[in-house]
Each structure stands twice: as C-alpha cells, then as structure tokens.
Amino acid sequence: MGVVPTKAKGKPSTRVGLTREQIITRALALMDDNGASWLTMRRLAEDLGVSAPTLYWHFRDRQELIDAAIDAALSAINDVPDLSGDWRQDVTTFMAHMRSDLTAHPCVTDLMRDRYPASAERMSRRALDIFDAMGMSPADTAGSARLMIWRVLGFATLENNIRTGTAYHEATGTNVYRVASTQAAPKTTDAQRALGTLDLDALFAYDVELFITGIAGLHQHG
Amino acid sequence: MGVVPTKAKGKPSTRVGLTREQIITRALALMDDNGASWLTMRRLAEDLGVSAPTLYWHFRDRQELIDAAIDAALSAINDVPDLSGDWRQDVTTFMAHMRSDLTAHPCVTDLMRDRYPASAERMSRRALDIFDAMGMSPADTAGSARLMIWRVLGFATLENNIRTGTAYHEATGTNVYRVASTQAAPKTTDAQRALGTLDLDALFAYDVELFITGIAGLHQHG
DNA sequence: ACCTGAACACCGTTCAAGT
DNA sequence: ACCTGAACACCGTTCAAGT
C-alpha cells in the first residue's frame, strides 16, 4: 500500500490514487478557511488536482461528502471522559469538550444546519448519564441532557460565525472581540458600552455557571 | 394609488405594478413552505408572474432581498412590552415573545445564519434593561442579555429545523414530536426512552426556568 | 478500478432593448 | 419608471469513453 503508480504519459486518465479520507480532509480545510458555501465540487476537484466528475466516483453526491465531513469533524466528540462522581465537574467537562470539538472546525456548525436535530440527538445520548446519576426522573434527565446539548450547539454556532464572519472585527485578544456598532445610536448606558466587547471564553464560562446553578436550584442539589 | 394600469396587448413589458413589499411577502411565504434554499430568483419571479431580471430593478441583488425578508419577519420583535418590575416575569415575557417571533416564520432562523451575530446583537440592546433594573454590574448585564438572546436564538433554530425537517416525524400533538431513532441501538434506560419524545413547549419552559433559576442563584435574588 | 471531457439543466446577474 | 429576452460565468450531476 502507499504505492503510487505513475503510469501513463501524464495527460489523460492518469491515476492519482485519491482516497475518500484525503478528499474529506481537504474539503474540511478549505471550508474552514473560506466558508462552507465557498466550496463547490469543481473548486474542491481543482484543489485536489483532479476533474470534477472524479469526486462522484468516491461519493454519491455532494450531500454524502458533506455528511462524511461532519462525521469526521465530530468523531472526537465521543472521547468524553468517564463520570467523576461530581456532577458539576461532569457538566463542565462535557460542555467544554463539546464546545472545543464544535469550534475546532469552524465550518462544522454551518454544515450541521440541515442535520441539526439529528446530530444534536446523537450527542444527547452520551449526556444522559450525568443527570441520570443525579437521581433525576427520566423526563428531567432527557430534558436536561437535551438542553445542555442545544445550548452548547447554539453557542458554538454563534461563536463560529463571529470568528469567521464580518460582523465583528478587531480581535483584541484570542477570544475577545470588539463588536462593530451597526447602529449609529449613541451608547449611553454602561451596559450598552459593555456590549461593545465580547469575550467568548468568559461568556461561555458564565453560560456554564448559569446552567449548573439552574440545575442545582431546580433539583435541590447543594 | 392602487390603480392597476392594464396597458399594452399583454405580451411584452406589460406593467405589473410590483412593489418591494409584495415581493418580500411572497418570498417569505414560499421559503416558509419549501425551505430557504428552495427559493431562487427565477422561481420567485415565476411565482410573481414576472421575469427574473425584473427583481433586480426592485432589489440590488439576492442578498438585499434576503435581508429585507429578515427585517420584515423580525419587525414585530420590537413590540416587547414594558418592564413590569418583576424581573422573572420580564425574562419570561421577553423569551416567549422572541421565540414566537422567530418561529412565526420557520425560515427566518435559517436566513439569519449569515447575519447571526449582528442580528443577535441588535436584539440584545432591548434586553439590557431587564438585568440593568436588577442592579447587575454593566458586564453582567451585557453577559446576561447576550446569553438570554443566544439561548432563544439557538432554541428557535433547532425548533424550526425540527418542525420543517425530516429528522423528526409523527407530530403527535401541536408541539410534541416522536423522535426517529437513527441508531438501531436498543433503548435500555428510561431516560433513553424519554429522549424518544420531544415536547417543544415543555422543553422551552424548562429552559426558561433553568435560566431564571441560574440568574437568581448567581445574583442572590430570592 | 479510477479518471477524463462533453453535455444537461440549473443558478445569480448584466445588459441592451422595449413601453 | 418598470419590465423583457438573450447572454455570461457559474453550479451539481450524468454519461460515454479512456487506461
């Protein structure tokens, strides 16, 4: 394996030895850099040094390629560590893991849009244990898991759009953004001024805190 | 006004009297029914009984039409009632209002995707008052407002995808869904079984409760 | 088995031309 | 001012054909 058979003169039908994995990897990289809608079959093929119809030998259609890219980008999401016994710890870990997986490839939340609910459901199953271990009712366990997933998914979607989009500018730090004032309205309040900056890490930490405090309050867990 | 000048023989360049508003209304309706990506300039034009280039007299390009559609669908969002003095009440009202606005046109969360952060930011300004009135610091006020908005936005995005998509089936009630089991894995736990049903109204109510309880716990508001 | 060019039905958009 | 058909550069996808 790994043998590249450089065969014919070089022009027509030369074997390139393209694999599904290579195509997916390149597709993900290009979408992360240029946005999901930028990538067309023709552009991807050109980047791979191949003609467009070639891709249809490896994938049935564009959607199958996209689905494979989503799966590849989300494959690491199953490596969530085992429960620690401290549910606050477990919630924090799960949410942090999920966020970092979803933001590792900024294009993935965009790609998932059509498959949103199904993808979210798949992740929910892995979250049930945390709330089950707290002694919640089955309905509350399912609801809590679902909401935890939905929240991280929503956060990561916004976050990815912010980091790759044009609505925010001037990243003053790693995850701190200056918010472009779309309205010409003068910012009078201090809170309005505070809206002008966006620290994604701090905001996520606050979201996690809010969730944990909410769960603790509603289910009487000191 | 309102006079339709039926002029020439009927074939070429007959004035139709098309307005921006008519185009936007029709575009929204078609997208709600068939999905955002279904709508093309040509299909919209055909539906309006007009040729495709005509739309480019009323709108600079497709994106301007989309932006106008978003604005139209979100215009009602400013009608959030005044503060009641009870912050729990105000949070509940705001979130409920925002959710119903975002779900009134199922296509709107899809359309907002590119404009996600900017749209969310616009709404945040209207939410600041609630937490400001609680005596929060400017930073906490901004963070709380932002997270409240993000949460409803994320919830409505999932919800709209669920209601119009194919991942869930068998709506057994108005907002209760049977979740298609994508995995063939047997559902052993009660919680896993509970995941098989999805009551959107109850889940949203739980999310609101969670948020309010979290805010109350973190900011010592009995 | 793997890759090609040509072709099909689309798409957004431009433009000269009609009334 | 408002609308048209023709045309341009794209797009996903199919298909017969090459090695």
Side-chain angles (χ1 to χ4, degrees):
Chain A
M1 354 122 164
V3 182
V4 183
T6 36
K7 224 168 122 198
K9 293 228 233 93
K11 285 275 254 330
S13 287
T14 298
R15 195 139 313 177
V16 192
L18 210 54
T19 69
R20 269 178 75 102
E21 206 183 13
Q22 284 170 34
I23 299 175
I24 293 169
T25 303
R26 204 71 204 108
L28 265 179
L30 288 172
M31 286 171 142
D32 283 338
D33 287 349
N34 310 297
S37 64
W38 176 88
L39 193 77
T40 67
M41 294 288 127
R42 286 170 146 96
R43 286 209 251 242
L44 176 58
E46 193 193 10
D47 178 271
L48 291 164
V50 106
S51 82
T54 299
L55 299 173
Y56 289 84
W57 192 88
H58 296 274
F59 298 90
R60 200 166 51 79
D61 55 16
R62 188 190 141 89
Q63 189 57 55
E64 188 185 295
L65 196 162
I66 297 295
D67 284 339
I70 297 176
D71 281 345
L74 254 44
S75 61
I77 225 163
N78 291 323
D79 298 358
V80 175
D82 287 337
L83 298 192
S84 70
D86 178 6
W87 68 270
R88 294 168 197 266
Q89 176 77 47
D90 291 334
V91 165
T92 306
T93 304
F94 185 96
M95 290 177 81
H97 259 80
M98 188 177 161
R99 179 194 176 206
S100 77
D101 285 337
L102 288 173
T103 52
H105 289 285
C107 69
V108 78
T109 42
D110 217 18
L111 299 180
M112 285 169 60
R113 202 178 31 113
D114 290 328
R115 316 283 172 168
Y116 236 37
S119 310
E121 221 55 36
R122 220 184 315 158
M123 300 184 229
S124 299
R125 297 218 167 72
R126 293 207 37 83
L128 291 174
D129 303 338
I130 300 177
F131 306 103
D132 211 27
M134 288 176 65
M136 282 191 192
S137 74
D140 282 350
T141 298
S144 302
R146 195 116 67 179
L147 285 182
M148 182 173 70
I149 302 288
W150 286 29
R151 190 178 306 199
V152 182
L153 203 48
F155 192 98
T157 300
L158 267 307
E159 179 174 0
N160 284 338
N161 264 309
I162 285 168
R163 295 163 87 179
T164 61
T166 58
Y168 293 72
H169 316 279
E170 293 188 53
T172 56
T174 36
N175 275 325
V176 182
Y177 287 75
R178 277 266 189 69
V179 180
S181 50
T182 52
Q183 316 260 66
K187 303 178 180 176
T188 40
T189 327
D190 281 340
Q192 283 176 334
R193 249 184 298 275
L195 257 193
T197 308
L198 175 56
D199 184 334
L200 290 170
D201 292 331
L203 194 64
F204 186 75
Y206 185 35
D207 208 10
V208 172
E209 244 188 314
L210 227 37
F211 182 73
I212 289 177
T213 309
I215 291 283
L218 285 183
H219 297 274
Q220 279 91 7
H221 267 264
Chain B
M1 356 125 161
V3 183
V4 182
T6 33
K7 224 168 122 199
K9 291 225 237 98
K11 285 279 251 331
S13 288
T14 299
R15 193 140 313 178
V16 192
L18 210 54
T19 69
R20 271 178 74 102
E21 207 183 11
Q22 285 169 34
I23 299 175
I24 293 169
T25 303
R26 204 70 202 107
L28 265 178
L30 288 171
M31 287 172 140
D32 283 339
D33 288 349
N34 310 298
S37 63
W38 176 89
L39 193 77
T40 67
M41 294 288 129
R42 287 171 146 96
R43 287 208 250 241
L44 176 57
E46 192 193 11
D47 179 90
L48 291 163
V50 106
S51 83
T54 300
L55 298 174
Y56 289 84
W57 193 89
H58 297 275
F59 298 91
R60 200 166 53 78
D61 54 15
R62 189 190 140 90
Q63 190 57 54
E64 189 185 292
L65 196 162
I66 297 295
D67 284 338
I70 297 175
D71 281 345
L74 254 44
S75 63
I77 224 164
N78 292 323
D79 298 357
V80 175
D82 288 337
L83 298 192
S84 70
D86 177 5
W87 69 270
R88 294 167 196 267
Q89 175 78 50
D90 291 334
V91 165
T92 307
T93 304
F94 185 96
M95 290 178 80
H97 260 79
M98 188 177 159
R99 179 195 177 207
S100 77
D101 286 336
L102 288 173
T103 52
H105 289 283
C107 68
V108 78
T109 42
D110 217 18
L111 299 180
M112 285 170 60
R113 198 178 36 112
D114 291 327
R115 316 281 171 174
Y116 235 37
S119 309
E121 222 53 38
R122 221 184 314 157
M123 300 184 227
S124 299
R125 297 216 168 73
R126 295 207 34 83
L128 291 174
D129 304 339
I130 299 176
F131 306 102
D132 211 27
M134 288 176 65
M136 281 191 193
S137 73
D140 281 350
T141 298
S144 302
R146 196 119 62 181
L147 285 182
M148 182 173 69
I149 302 288
W150 286 28
R151 189 173 309 196
V152 182
L153 202 48
F155 192 99
T157 300
L158 268 306
E159 180 174 1
N160 284 339
N161 264 310
I162 286 168
R163 295 162 86 179
T164 62
T166 57
Y168 293 73
H169 315 280
E170 292 189 56
T172 55
T174 36
N175 276 325
V176 181
Y177 288 76
R178 276 266 188 71
V179 180
S181 50
T182 51
Q183 318 260 66
K187 302 178 180 175
T188 39
T189 326
D190 281 341
Q192 283 176 333
R193 250 184 299 276
L195 258 192
T197 309
L198 175 55
D199 184 335
L200 290 171
D201 292 332
L203 194 64
F204 186 75
Y206 185 35
D207 207 10
V208 172
E209 244 190 312
L210 226 37
F211 182 74
I212 289 176
T213 308
I215 291 284
L218 285 183
H219 298 274
Q220 279 91 8
H221 268 261

